[in-house]
Amino acid sequence: SWRQAMDMGSTNPAVLRYVALTEWSRWFSRLDLDFLLPAEAADQLRSRLLRWIEVQPDQNEPYEALAWVEASVSVPKIEHVNLVQGRFPRLDRQAQVLLAMARVRVRLGDHAAAEQILSEIDNFAPSTGERALAKALQDSIRKKAERSTIDP
């Protein structure tokens, strides 16, 4: 199978792409800002996506997928976030990746940075759905800020 070929060390770009995107699609059939990816699945996806990046560093899809993996774990790996950010100017789905990067900042507790990222999303031609997700994330950040300023 394709998965066995990848596990045995295949460097065939078609195999890497197929396996990584198939597994990614199982977890990310739709963008969900509240989704938390199980640690074991995150580690496997990271491994597959990083292998694809290693073999085909000029392909955008694995960077975009990695952004959502890091946005969907309880503790994002900063080196992976930096890898995605380094590729950002060349990515095809910049608005989607901005959403993921804002979510990473929320997970790291840096709400100000998340707000800054979200304030720039309109510069990257977001879809109606992406714009709605950005607004939902902004609302969530504001509600958390309000709750933290209310005395018990």
Side-chain angles (χ1 to χ4, degrees):
S1 79
W2 292 57
R3 191 167 286 109
Q4 288 172 324
M6 186 172 197
D7 290 342
M8 291 173 49
S10 174
T11 57
N12 179 327
V15 169
L16 300 177
R17 180 180 190 279
Y18 176 81
V19 173
L21 287 181
T22 300
E23 290 182 12
W24 186 86
S25 295
R26 272 193 217 131
W27 294 102
F28 296 94
S29 59
R30 65 184 182 88
L31 299 181
D32 181 348
L33 297 173
D34 295 321
F35 174 66
L36 189 60
L37 185 64
E40 186 176 310
D43 289 343
Q44 183 160 2
L45 276 170
R46 284 172 170 146
S47 174
R48 297 203 187 287
L49 292 166
L50 291 170
R51 186 115 164 271
W52 183 11
I53 289 169
E54 182 183 321
V55 172
Q56 286 191 300
D58 293 332
Q59 292 295 311
N60 289 334
E61 288 172 301
Y63 296 92
E64 294 164 351
L66 185 60
W68 280 100
V69 170
E70 297 308 328
S72 302
V73 294
S74 56
V75 182
K77 291 195 175 190
I78 299 305
E79 63 271 22
H80 299 164
V81 172
N82 290 339
L83 182 66
V84 171
Q85 288 176 324
R87 181 73 183 176
F88 183 81
R90 295 178 298 282
L91 295 179
D92 298 318
R93 296 179 183 95
Q94 290 177 318
Q96 248 185 45
V97 172
L98 277 180
L99 281 168
M101 293 296 98
R103 186 67 185 121
V104 164
R105 295 301 186 267
V106 169
R107 292 227 188 261
L108 295 172
D110 190 350
H111 295 164
E115 289 263 29
Q116 176 61 38
I117 290 168
L118 291 169
S119 74
E120 298 175 16
I121 199 162
D122 283 334
N123 298 330
F124 297 94
S127 68
T128 302
E130 291 163 346
R131 196 172 279 119
L133 285 172
K135 182 175 179 346
L137 187 52
Q138 286 172 320
D139 291 347
S140 172
I141 292 167
R142 288 185 188 118
K143 285 178 187 169
K144 285 180 186 175
E146 288 169 9
R147 282 195 303 264
S148 69
T149 60
I150 296 173
D151 293 331

